[in-house]
């Protein structure tokens, strides 16, 4: 992803100055700088309509922005006179109160496009749209600049969070063995805190006093976003339009958009509610709302039907160090690249399809169908390796804590001290979970065929049925008599002995 470099600033009257020589950058209504060629070049973009703003470069475009951290891309090049005029009006009191600047979790869909003018109208504020790239796909990111501009946003900020998402959120859950209600691998639950954390960072960078999201009042995501906001910056105001406005559904949103001259996204409305990131793709709604209905075959998007998967199995070797995957088939990869590779491999074999009814945090049950090909492979590999490296008591304690760990993540308590303490425990006990696991993928199934570890507690010379020096089978008699003593005493009592 393109990185930001500070190139220029603006004087009080809006004249752009070169950052190196403080010389005017405006040349025939275009941006240029006479500094060193290694640092600057002719910039093919018109001057921003904003006054007193910083100017940055990404992919040779000049974009207005507040100072942003590494890995951040800001967009919206020139909102023009109309937007400046409208922002002057925003200084007035809104219908519901007054906020200065709000960072909105933005997808570019109908709901968040409507939220932009709603925030301006009701809180008299500027709106900074924020989009996190957590691996939802390039199509989801296309055209966001134009959509945000048309909705009335003053700025669009996009952050590539894929590596952070996998390394700092997915991998800890993988190491902990966290699975919610026996099957759910927490795809959405892990993504929300990394997005919310980035929103808090952006709010600080752009000087916002509030954050907003488009989550409904019936789901889990509103809790996940807001608990992260509370934990990382309790002074931020939080706006949740779906809990405040009178809009009841898609038709109401379209009507509001037309009334406020917001172009309605001309995309085909999916009959399913979907959430996609690098870990999974979820499907909810339509016929899935009745648990008696089998999902349609054309609903799935990232995995083939196991019945149509290749007739020949594929073997894949996962290298693991201290409970975390580091390589695929001997090739070391970054966390995001490794997961992407396994998604492709697992997807073509129909791996990772789950259909479940789960208990939402807000009390109701909901049905979801999930595709998690790469994640399913990784969970299998780590658990298989742990059979070599963890003793019985440690494994039992780890499994019991994994249930609570998953519950905390599902409930949005990522930054809870309890989860952080449990994570330290998981890191400690998996320090020797190092080695490799070979898995066979075949028509939706994942089977372990080989596992090795330099820290293996398995000893062939002890486990063999042949007699050995370390284990004397005659010792088992005394052990059984002592181990079974409580049962023997109870039986004697019942029989009056």
């Amino acid at each position: 992803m393109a990185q930001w470099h500070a190139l220029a600033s603006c004087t009080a009257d809006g004249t752009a100055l070169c950052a190196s020589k403080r010389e005017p950058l405006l040349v025939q209504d275009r941006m240029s700088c006479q500094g060193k060629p290694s640092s600057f070049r002719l910039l093919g973009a018109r001057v921003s309509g904003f006054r007193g703003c910083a100017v940055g470069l990404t992919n040779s475009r000049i974009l207005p922005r507040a100072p942003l951290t590494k890995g951040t891309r800001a967009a919206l090049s020139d909102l023009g006179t109309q937007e400046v005029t409208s922002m002057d009006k925003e200084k007035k009191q809104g219908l519901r109160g007054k906020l200065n600047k709000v960072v909105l979790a933005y997808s570019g869909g109908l709901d968040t496009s409507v939220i932009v003018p709603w925030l301006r109208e009701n809180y008299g504020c500027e709106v900074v749209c924020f989009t996190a790239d957590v691996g939802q796909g390039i199509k989801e990111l296309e055209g966001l600049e134009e959509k945000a501009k048309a909705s009335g946003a003053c700025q669009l900020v996009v952050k590539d969070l894929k590596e952070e998402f996998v390394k700092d959120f997915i991998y800890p859950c993988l190491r902990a063995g966290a699975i919610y209600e026996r099957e759910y691998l927490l795809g959405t639950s892990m993504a929300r805190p990394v997005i919310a954390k980035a929103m808090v960072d952006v709010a600080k960078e752009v000087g916002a006093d509030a954050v907003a999201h488009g989550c409904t009042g019936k789901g889990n995501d509103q809790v996940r976003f807001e608990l992260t906001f509370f934990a990382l910056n309790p002074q931020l105001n939080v706006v949740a339009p779906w809990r405040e406005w009178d809009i009841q559904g898609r038709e109401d949103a379209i009507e509001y958009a037309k009334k406020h001259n917001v172009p309605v996204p001309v995309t085909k409305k999916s009959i399913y509610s979907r959430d996609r990131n690098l870990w999974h793709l979820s499907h909810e709604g339509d016929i899935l709302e009745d648990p008696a209905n089998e999902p349609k075959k054309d609903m799935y998007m990232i995995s083939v039907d196991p019945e149509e998967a290749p007739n020949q199995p594929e073997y894949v070797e996962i290298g693991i160090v201290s409970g975390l995957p580091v390589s695929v088939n001997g090739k070391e990869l970054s966390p995001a690249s490794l997961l992407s590779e396994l998604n492709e491999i697992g997807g073509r074999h129909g791996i990772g399809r789950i259909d479940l009814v789960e208990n939402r945090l807000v009390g109701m049950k909901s049905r979801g169908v999930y595709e998690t090909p790469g994640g399913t492979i990784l969970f299998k590999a780590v658990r298989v390796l742990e059979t070599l490296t963890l003793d019985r008591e440690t494994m039992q304690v780890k499994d019991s804590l994994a249930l609570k760990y998953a519950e905390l993540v599902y409930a949005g308590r990522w930054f809870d001290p309890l989860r952080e303490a449990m994570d330290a425990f998981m890191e400690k006990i998996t320090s020797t979970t190092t080695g490799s696991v070979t898995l066979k993928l075949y028509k939706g199934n994942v089977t372990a065929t080989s596992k090795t570890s330099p820290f293996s507690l398995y000893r062939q010379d002890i486990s063999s049925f042949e007699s050995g020096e370390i284990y004397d089978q005659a010792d088992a008699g005394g052990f059984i008599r002592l181990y079974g003593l409580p049962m023997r005493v109870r039986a004697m009592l019942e029989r009056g002995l």
Side-chain angles (χ1 to χ4, degrees):
M1 177 178 177
Q3 304 296 320
W4 275 103
H5 303 281
L7 295 181
S9 61
C10 298
T11 63
D13 65 355
T15 302
L17 297 178
C18 171
S20 62
K21 293 191 174 183
R22 304 296 295 174
E23 298 171 348
L25 283 170
L26 183 59
V27 180
Q28 295 181 347
D29 199 31
R30 301 186 70 82
M31 301 294 291
S32 66
C33 179
Q34 303 302 317
K36 297 180 180 179
S38 60
S39 301
F40 302 98
R41 60 180 181 275
L42 184 64
L43 307 176
R46 294 186 178 277
V47 178
S48 166
F50 288 105
R51 299 295 185 183
C53 64
V55 179
L57 170 66
T58 176
N59 292 335
S60 300
R61 293 188 299 166
I62 289 295
L63 309 171
R65 64 179 178 93
L68 298 170
T69 60
K70 182 179 179 181
T72 302
R73 181 170 74 254
L76 289 187
S77 53
D78 185 0
L79 300 189
T81 305
Q82 181 179 357
E83 287 301 321
V84 174
T85 302
S86 65
M87 283 190 293
D88 289 338
K89 295 180 181 179
E90 286 177 339
K91 296 178 181 179
K92 300 179 181 179
Q93 183 83 3
L95 298 177
R96 296 173 182 265
K98 182 71 179 84
L99 295 170
N100 294 321
K101 186 178 291 186
V102 178
V103 174
L104 168 65
Y106 182 74
S107 68
L110 176 61
D111 290 355
T112 52
S113 294
V114 167
I115 288 175
V116 174
W118 186 88
L119 288 171
R120 294 174 61 184
E121 178 183 26
N122 286 272
Y123 290 98
C125 59
E126 294 181 57
V127 180
V128 175
C129 289
F130 170 75
T131 300
D133 181 1
V134 288
Q136 63 266 47
I138 190 64
K139 289 184 178 180
E140 297 293 326
L141 302 175
E142 291 177 347
L144 288 181
E145 178 179 340
E146 292 76 14
K147 292 177 182 178
K149 175 180 178 180
S151 297
C154 71
Q155 189 176 356
L156 169 68
V157 177
V158 178
K159 280 194 175 185
D160 185 350
L161 303 179
K162 293 191 291 294
E163 291 292 348
E164 179 183 358
F165 176 40
V166 180
K167 178 178 178 291
D168 296 337
F169 291 80
I170 290 177
Y171 274 12
C173 288
L174 176 65
R175 178 175 58 200
I179 300 177
Y180 182 72
E181 294 190 340
R182 304 171 183 169
E183 291 188 283
Y184 179 43
L185 298 182
L186 299 169
T188 302
S189 309
M190 296 183 294
R192 296 305 181 241
V194 71
I195 297 172
K197 173 180 176 292
M199 290 179 66
V200 173
D201 293 339
V202 171
K204 180 179 180 180
E205 292 163 3
V206 303
D209 56 341
V211 286
H213 60 76
C215 307
T216 70
K218 296 181 69 175
N220 299 313
D221 284 345
Q222 58 181 335
V223 182
R224 295 163 180 160
F225 272 103
E226 293 180 34
L227 291 191
T228 301
F229 298 151
F230 295 161
L232 300 183
N233 188 349
Q235 293 181 307
L236 280 175
N237 295 292
V238 180
V239 184
W242 274 103
R243 302 201 300 258
E244 297 184 30
W245 63 17
D246 298 324
I247 295 175
Q248 298 298 314
R250 183 174 175 81
E251 295 304 318
D252 288 347
I254 292 175
E255 185 64 28
Y256 186 91
K258 291 180 179 179
K259 180 180 177 181
H260 292 78
N261 299 317
V262 175
V264 177
V266 288
T267 56
K268 182 179 179 181
K269 175 62 178 177
S270 172
I271 61 175
Y272 301 105
S273 173
R274 291 188 168 105
D275 175 68
R276 183 172 184 173
N277 57 50
L278 201 56
W279 183 249
H280 85 163
L281 171 62
S282 67
H283 313 265
E284 293 181 337
D286 196 57
I287 66 168
L288 298 179
E289 293 183 349
D290 183 353
N293 292 328
E294 180 182 4
K296 295 180 179 179
K297 289 189 175 183
D298 62 1
M299 178 192 72
Y300 296 93
M301 300 177 64
I302 62 175
S303 62
V304 304
D305 189 325
E307 297 176 358
E308 300 174 2
N311 292 323
Q312 296 298 321
E314 180 173 355
Y315 292 83
V316 58
E317 180 186 5
I318 309 298
I320 299 170
V321 174
S322 297
L324 301 177
V326 296
S327 66
V328 176
N329 294 327
K331 181 180 180 181
E332 292 190 3
L333 298 167
S334 71
S337 298
L338 185 147
L339 182 55
S340 296
E341 177 78 8
L342 290 178
N343 279 335
E344 182 179 346
I345 295 173
R348 62 174 175 255
H349 290 279
I351 305 298
R353 292 185 173 190
I354 297 174
D355 182 350
L356 65 95
V357 174
E358 67 194 64
N359 289 295
R360 283 185 179 176
L361 182 62
V362 293
M364 69 184 74
K365 287 183 179 289
S366 66
R367 183 195 186 189
V369 177
Y370 302 91
E371 298 178 76
T372 319
T376 300
I377 293 172
L378 289 176
F379 256 90
K380 181 70 173 181
V382 173
R383 285 202 164 188
V384 166
L385 189 59
E386 285 179 345
T387 64
L388 294 180
T389 62
L390 300 183
D391 62 75
R392 178 180 59 196
E393 297 298 327
T394 301
M395 185 179 293
Q396 289 176 356
V397 172
K398 181 177 184 292
D399 287 349
S400 66
L401 290 177
L403 297 175
K404 185 61 178 180
Y405 194 106
E407 181 184 330
L408 290 172
V409 175
Y410 186 85
R413 307 185 74 89
W414 184 268
F415 295 98
D416 191 302
L418 175 58
R419 189 212 63 83
E420 294 173 345
M422 293 173 68
D423 201 49
F425 170 79
M426 297 297 181
E427 182 178 4
K428 174 62 177 179
I429 64 171
T430 58
S431 60
T432 58
T433 302
T434 295
S436 66
V437 176
T438 300
L439 303 170
K440 180 169 73 173
L441 314 180
Y442 182 67
K443 292 189 177 296
N445 295 304
V446 184
T447 307
T449 61
S450 173
K451 46 190 173 289
T452 62
S453 171
F455 304 105
S456 176
L457 299 177
Y458 177 86
R459 288 282 299 268
Q460 185 176 351
D461 58 339
I462 297 177
S463 301
S464 173
F465 285 106
E466 301 296 329
S467 296
E469 296 181 0
I470 298 179
Y471 188 95
D472 187 343
Q473 297 188 41
D475 294 340
F479 165 75
I480 295 172
R481 284 192 294 272
L482 292 177
Y483 184 71
L485 184 59
M487 300 180 66
R488 189 175 184 182
V489 171
R490 180 175 294 278
M492 293 171 64
L493 175 64
E494 292 174 349
R495 290 166 175 74
L497 299 176

